[in-house]
Amino acid sequence: MADDLVRFSVAMPEDLLVAFDEFVARRGVAKNRSEVVRDLVRDALIEEETAEPGAEVMGALTIVYDHHAHGLQDKLHHIQHDSFGLIVSTTHVHLDADSCLEVIILRGEATDVRTIADRVLGTKGVKNGGLVVTTTGNMA
Ligand code: NI
C-alpha cells in the first residue's frame, strides 16, 4: 500500500513549469517530472526533520585545506578525537602538492553534528567546505 503511486495534479505558472522542465532535463534521462518532484519533497521533509535539535542525523562534512598550514592537521585530528563518538569515518585525499580534501562522516544529534562541523569549518587554514545533513530514518 505504502509503495503504491497516487496521482495528483499540480497547477503552476507556465514560466515556473518551463524552468522546472529545464531543471528536470539537467538531472538526466533517468529522471522525469514525477521522480524529480518526489526527490524535492523528500529534500524538504529531510530538511525539516533534521532541523529539529534532537534529531538523529547523518552528516557528510567536506573540507579542503592547506597541507602546509602550520599545525592544522594536528588541530583537525584533535577535534575529531574530541568527538570520536560522532565520527563514523574520515577519508583523506591528497588533492595536489599543497591541498588536502577530507570527507568526515558524522552520526549523532543534529546540534552536535552541526557544532563539530562549525568547529572544523572555523579552524584557521580550512579554505572551503560544507556540511550535508540527511536523515538516518526510512525514506518513502
Ligand atoms: Ni593530504
Side-chain angles (χ1 to χ4, degrees), residues 108-122:
E109 286 197 9
T111 307
D112 296 336
V113 166
R114 290 200 169 86
T115 298
I116 187 169
D118 285 340
R119 216 175 140 200
V120 169
L121 290 166

mmCIF file with all atom_site columns, all heavy atoms in Angstrom, residues 108-122:
data_model
loop_
_atom_site.group_PDB
_atom_site.id
_atom_site.type_symbol
_atom_site.label_atom_id
_atom_site.label_alt_id
_atom_site.label_comp_id
_atom_site.label_asym_id
_atom_site.label_entity_id
_atom_site.label_seq_id
_atom_site.pdbx_PDB_ins_code
_atom_site.Cartn_x
_atom_site.Cartn_y
_atom_site.Cartn_z
_atom_site.occupancy
_atom_site.B_iso_or_equiv
_atom_site.pdbx_formal_charge
_atom_site.auth_seq_id
_atom_site.auth_comp_id
_atom_site.auth_asym_id
_atom_site.auth_atom_id
_atom_site.pdbx_PDB_model_num
ATOM 1   N N   . GLY A 1 108 ? 24.848 11.484 14.695 1.00 0.00 ? 108 GLY A N   1
ATOM 2   C CA  . GLY A 1 108 ? 24.517 11.879 16.055 1.00 0.00 ? 108 GLY A CA  1
ATOM 3   C C   . GLY A 1 108 ? 23.392 12.881 16.062 1.00 0.00 ? 108 GLY A C   1
ATOM 4   O O   . GLY A 1 108 ? 22.688 13.061 15.058 1.00 0.00 ? 108 GLY A O   1
ATOM 5   N N   . GLU A 1 109 ? 23.213 13.535 17.215 1.00 0.00 ? 109 GLU A N   1
ATOM 6   C CA  . GLU A 1 109 ? 22.168 14.545 17.311 1.00 0.00 ? 109 GLU A CA  1
ATOM 7   C C   . GLU A 1 109 ? 22.519 15.739 16.422 1.00 0.00 ? 109 GLU A C   1
ATOM 8   O O   . GLU A 1 109 ? 23.688 16.144 16.352 1.00 0.00 ? 109 GLU A O   1
ATOM 9   C CB  . GLU A 1 109 ? 21.988 14.999 18.762 1.00 0.00 ? 109 GLU A CB  1
ATOM 10  C CG  . GLU A 1 109 ? 21.275 13.956 19.605 1.00 0.00 ? 109 GLU A CG  1
ATOM 11  C CD  . GLU A 1 109 ? 20.732 14.533 20.908 1.00 0.00 ? 109 GLU A CD  1
ATOM 12  O OE1 . GLU A 1 109 ? 20.767 15.761 21.081 1.00 0.00 ? 109 GLU A OE1 1
ATOM 13  O OE2 . GLU A 1 109 ? 20.266 13.733 21.732 1.00 0.00 ? 109 GLU A OE2 1
ATOM 14  N N   . ALA A 1 110 ? 21.486 16.291 15.785 1.00 0.00 ? 110 ALA A N   1
ATOM 15  C CA  . ALA A 1 110 ? 21.688 17.362 14.810 1.00 0.00 ? 110 ALA A CA  1
ATOM 16  C C   . ALA A 1 110 ? 22.540 18.501 15.369 1.00 0.00 ? 110 ALA A C   1
ATOM 17  O O   . ALA A 1 110 ? 23.447 18.994 14.702 1.00 0.00 ? 110 ALA A O   1
ATOM 18  C CB  . ALA A 1 110 ? 20.331 17.889 14.340 1.00 0.00 ? 110 ALA A CB  1
ATOM 19  N N   . THR A 1 111 ? 22.270 18.905 16.597 1.00 0.00 ? 111 THR A N   1
ATOM 20  C CA  . THR A 1 111 ? 23.004 20.024 17.187 1.00 0.00 ? 111 THR A CA  1
ATOM 21  C C   . THR A 1 111 ? 24.477 19.682 17.344 1.00 0.00 ? 111 THR A C   1
ATOM 22  O O   . THR A 1 111 ? 25.349 20.507 17.062 1.00 0.00 ? 111 THR A O   1
ATOM 23  C CB  . THR A 1 111 ? 22.410 20.376 18.579 1.00 0.00 ? 111 THR A CB  1
ATOM 24  O OG1 . THR A 1 111 ? 21.003 20.566 18.416 1.00 0.00 ? 111 THR A OG1 1
ATOM 25  C CG2 . THR A 1 111 ? 23.026 21.633 19.136 1.00 0.00 ? 111 THR A CG2 1
ATOM 26  N N   . ASP A 1 112 ? 24.777 18.446 17.792 1.00 0.00 ? 112 ASP A N   1
ATOM 27  C CA  . ASP A 1 112 ? 26.171 18.033 17.984 1.00 0.00 ? 112 ASP A CA  1
ATOM 28  C C   . ASP A 1 112 ? 26.902 17.959 16.642 1.00 0.00 ? 112 ASP A C   1
ATOM 29  O O   . ASP A 1 112 ? 28.066 18.364 16.535 1.00 0.00 ? 112 ASP A O   1
ATOM 30  C CB  . ASP A 1 112 ? 26.232 16.663 18.673 1.00 0.00 ? 112 ASP A CB  1
ATOM 31  C CG  . ASP A 1 112 ? 25.655 16.697 20.079 1.00 0.00 ? 112 ASP A CG  1
ATOM 32  O OD1 . ASP A 1 112 ? 25.643 17.795 20.684 1.00 0.00 ? 112 ASP A OD1 1
ATOM 33  O OD2 . ASP A 1 112 ? 25.216 15.637 20.566 1.00 0.00 ? 112 ASP A OD2 1
ATOM 34  N N   . VAL A 1 113 ? 26.211 17.419 15.630 1.00 0.00 ? 113 VAL A N   1
ATOM 35  C CA  . VAL A 1 113 ? 26.827 17.291 14.302 1.00 0.00 ? 113 VAL A CA  1
ATOM 36  C C   . VAL A 1 113 ? 27.135 18.677 13.736 1.00 0.00 ? 113 VAL A C   1
ATOM 37  O O   . VAL A 1 113 ? 28.230 18.924 13.207 1.00 0.00 ? 113 VAL A O   1
ATOM 38  C CB  . VAL A 1 113 ? 25.909 16.481 13.361 1.00 0.00 ? 113 VAL A CB  1
ATOM 39  C CG1 . VAL A 1 113 ? 26.337 16.614 11.906 1.00 0.00 ? 113 VAL A CG1 1
ATOM 40  C CG2 . VAL A 1 113 ? 25.892 15.010 13.783 1.00 0.00 ? 113 VAL A CG2 1
ATOM 41  N N   . ARG A 1 114 ? 26.188 19.620 13.891 1.00 0.00 ? 114 ARG A N   1
ATOM 42  C CA  . ARG A 1 114 ? 26.414 20.972 13.366 1.00 0.00 ? 114 ARG A CA  1
ATOM 43  C C   . ARG A 1 114 ? 27.510 21.694 14.148 1.00 0.00 ? 114 ARG A C   1
ATOM 44  O O   . ARG A 1 114 ? 28.281 22.469 13.582 1.00 0.00 ? 114 ARG A O   1
ATOM 45  C CB  . ARG A 1 114 ? 25.111 21.772 13.364 1.00 0.00 ? 114 ARG A CB  1
ATOM 46  C CG  . ARG A 1 114 ? 24.129 21.266 12.319 1.00 0.00 ? 114 ARG A CG  1
ATOM 47  C CD  . ARG A 1 114 ? 23.057 22.289 11.946 1.00 0.00 ? 114 ARG A CD  1
ATOM 48  N NE  . ARG A 1 114 ? 22.316 21.832 10.758 1.00 0.00 ? 114 ARG A NE  1
ATOM 49  C CZ  . ARG A 1 114 ? 21.265 21.013 10.821 1.00 0.00 ? 114 ARG A CZ  1
ATOM 50  N NH1 . ARG A 1 114 ? 20.808 20.599 11.985 1.00 0.00 ? 114 ARG A NH1 1
ATOM 51  N NH2 . ARG A 1 114 ? 20.664 20.618 9.713  1.00 0.00 ? 114 ARG A NH2 1
ATOM 52  N N   . THR A 1 115 ? 27.573 21.436 15.448 1.00 0.00 ? 115 THR A N   1
ATOM 53  C CA  . THR A 1 115 ? 28.599 22.093 16.277 1.00 0.00 ? 115 THR A CA  1
ATOM 54  C C   . THR A 1 115 ? 29.996 21.662 15.853 1.00 0.00 ? 115 THR A C   1
ATOM 55  O O   . THR A 1 115 ? 30.895 22.498 15.695 1.00 0.00 ? 115 THR A O   1
ATOM 56  C CB  . THR A 1 115 ? 28.366 21.771 17.771 1.00 0.00 ? 115 THR A CB  1
ATOM 57  O OG1 . THR A 1 115 ? 27.081 22.292 18.144 1.00 0.00 ? 115 THR A OG1 1
ATOM 58  C CG2 . THR A 1 115 ? 29.435 22.388 18.651 1.00 0.00 ? 115 THR A CG2 1
ATOM 59  N N   . ILE A 1 116 ? 30.189 20.360 15.660 1.00 0.00 ? 116 ILE A N   1
ATOM 60  C CA  . ILE A 1 116 ? 31.531 19.903 15.269 1.00 0.00 ? 116 ILE A CA  1
ATOM 61  C C   . ILE A 1 116 ? 31.849 20.364 13.847 1.00 0.00 ? 116 ILE A C   1
ATOM 62  O O   . ILE A 1 116 ? 32.995 20.740 13.559 1.00 0.00 ? 116 ILE A O   1
ATOM 63  C CB  . ILE A 1 116 ? 31.705 18.368 15.426 1.00 0.00 ? 116 ILE A CB  1
ATOM 64  C CG1 . ILE A 1 116 ? 33.149 17.985 15.176 1.00 0.00 ? 116 ILE A CG1 1
ATOM 65  C CG2 . ILE A 1 116 ? 30.804 17.582 14.539 1.00 0.00 ? 116 ILE A CG2 1
ATOM 66  C CD1 . ILE A 1 116 ? 33.485 16.572 15.564 1.00 0.00 ? 116 ILE A CD1 1
ATOM 67  N N   . ALA A 1 117 ? 30.850 20.386 12.975 1.00 0.00 ? 117 ALA A N   1
ATOM 68  C CA  . ALA A 1 117 ? 31.089 20.868 11.612 1.00 0.00 ? 117 ALA A CA  1
ATOM 69  C C   . ALA A 1 117 ? 31.526 22.331 11.638 1.00 0.00 ? 117 ALA A C   1
ATOM 70  O O   . ALA A 1 117 ? 32.477 22.717 10.947 1.00 0.00 ? 117 ALA A O   1
ATOM 71  C CB  . ALA A 1 117 ? 29.830 20.701 10.767 1.00 0.00 ? 117 ALA A CB  1
ATOM 72  N N   . ASP A 1 118 ? 30.857 23.144 12.465 1.00 0.00 ? 118 ASP A N   1
ATOM 73  C CA  . ASP A 1 118 ? 31.236 24.557 12.568 1.00 0.00 ? 118 ASP A CA  1
ATOM 74  C C   . ASP A 1 118 ? 32.643 24.698 13.126 1.00 0.00 ? 118 ASP A C   1
ATOM 75  O O   . ASP A 1 118 ? 33.415 25.564 12.700 1.00 0.00 ? 118 ASP A O   1
ATOM 76  C CB  . ASP A 1 118 ? 30.248 25.314 13.471 1.00 0.00 ? 118 ASP A CB  1
ATOM 77  C CG  . ASP A 1 118 ? 28.916 25.566 12.784 1.00 0.00 ? 118 ASP A CG  1
ATOM 78  O OD1 . ASP A 1 118 ? 28.866 25.517 11.537 1.00 0.00 ? 118 ASP A OD1 1
ATOM 79  O OD2 . ASP A 1 118 ? 27.923 25.797 13.499 1.00 0.00 ? 118 ASP A OD2 1
ATOM 80  N N   . ARG A 1 119 ? 32.982 23.836 14.082 1.00 0.00 ? 119 ARG A N   1
ATOM 81  C CA  . ARG A 1 119 ? 34.321 23.890 14.683 1.00 0.00 ? 119 ARG A CA  1
ATOM 82  C C   . ARG A 1 119 ? 35.389 23.559 13.636 1.00 0.00 ? 119 ARG A C   1
ATOM 83  O O   . ARG A 1 119 ? 36.425 24.230 13.557 1.00 0.00 ? 119 ARG A O   1
ATOM 84  C CB  . ARG A 1 119 ? 34.383 22.860 15.823 1.00 0.00 ? 119 ARG A CB  1
ATOM 85  C CG  . ARG A 1 119 ? 35.193 23.312 16.999 1.00 0.00 ? 119 ARG A CG  1
ATOM 86  C CD  . ARG A 1 119 ? 35.127 22.323 18.138 1.00 0.00 ? 119 ARG A CD  1
ATOM 87  N NE  . ARG A 1 119 ? 36.447 22.211 18.748 1.00 0.00 ? 119 ARG A NE  1
ATOM 88  C CZ  . ARG A 1 119 ? 36.852 21.207 19.500 1.00 0.00 ? 119 ARG A CZ  1
ATOM 89  N NH1 . ARG A 1 119 ? 36.041 20.198 19.753 1.00 0.00 ? 119 ARG A NH1 1
ATOM 90  N NH2 . ARG A 1 119 ? 38.055 21.193 19.999 1.00 0.00 ? 119 ARG A NH2 1
ATOM 91  N N   . VAL A 1 120 ? 35.136 22.538 12.837 1.00 0.00 ? 120 VAL A N   1
ATOM 92  C CA  . VAL A 1 120 ? 36.088 22.150 11.786 1.00 0.00 ? 120 VAL A CA  1
ATOM 93  C C   . VAL A 1 120 ? 36.170 23.248 10.727 1.00 0.00 ? 120 VAL A C   1
ATOM 94  O O   . VAL A 1 120 ? 37.260 23.691 10.354 1.00 0.00 ? 120 VAL A O   1
ATOM 95  C CB  . VAL A 1 120 ? 35.678 20.798 11.157 1.00 0.00 ? 120 VAL A CB  1
ATOM 96  C CG1 . VAL A 1 120 ? 36.480 20.522 9.893  1.00 0.00 ? 120 VAL A CG1 1
ATOM 97  C CG2 . VAL A 1 120 ? 35.843 19.662 12.167 1.00 0.00 ? 120 VAL A CG2 1
ATOM 98  N N   . LEU A 1 121 ? 35.000 23.717 10.247 1.00 0.00 ? 121 LEU A N   1
ATOM 99  C CA  . LEU A 1 121 ? 34.985 24.732 9.187  1.00 0.00 ? 121 LEU A CA  1
ATOM 100 C C   . LEU A 1 121 ? 35.583 26.053 9.663  1.00 0.00 ? 121 LEU A C   1
ATOM 101 O O   . LEU A 1 121 ? 36.104 26.829 8.876  1.00 0.00 ? 121 LEU A O   1
ATOM 102 C CB  . LEU A 1 121 ? 33.546 24.958 8.691  1.00 0.00 ? 121 LEU A CB  1
ATOM 103 C CG  . LEU A 1 121 ? 32.942 23.800 7.898  1.00 0.00 ? 121 LEU A CG  1
ATOM 104 C CD1 . LEU A 1 121 ? 31.433 23.978 7.744  1.00 0.00 ? 121 LEU A CD1 1
ATOM 105 C CD2 . LEU A 1 121 ? 33.599 23.671 6.531  1.00 0.00 ? 121 LEU A CD2 1
ATOM 106 N N   . GLY A 1 122 ? 35.505 26.306 10.978 1.00 0.00 ? 122 GLY A N   1
ATOM 107 C CA  . GLY A 1 122 ? 36.021 27.551 11.535 1.00 0.00 ? 122 GLY A CA  1
ATOM 108 C C   . GLY A 1 122 ? 37.487 27.497 11.903 1.00 0.00 ? 122 GLY A C   1
ATOM 109 O O   . GLY A 1 122 ? 38.051 28.495 12.373 1.00 0.00 ? 122 GLY A O   1
#
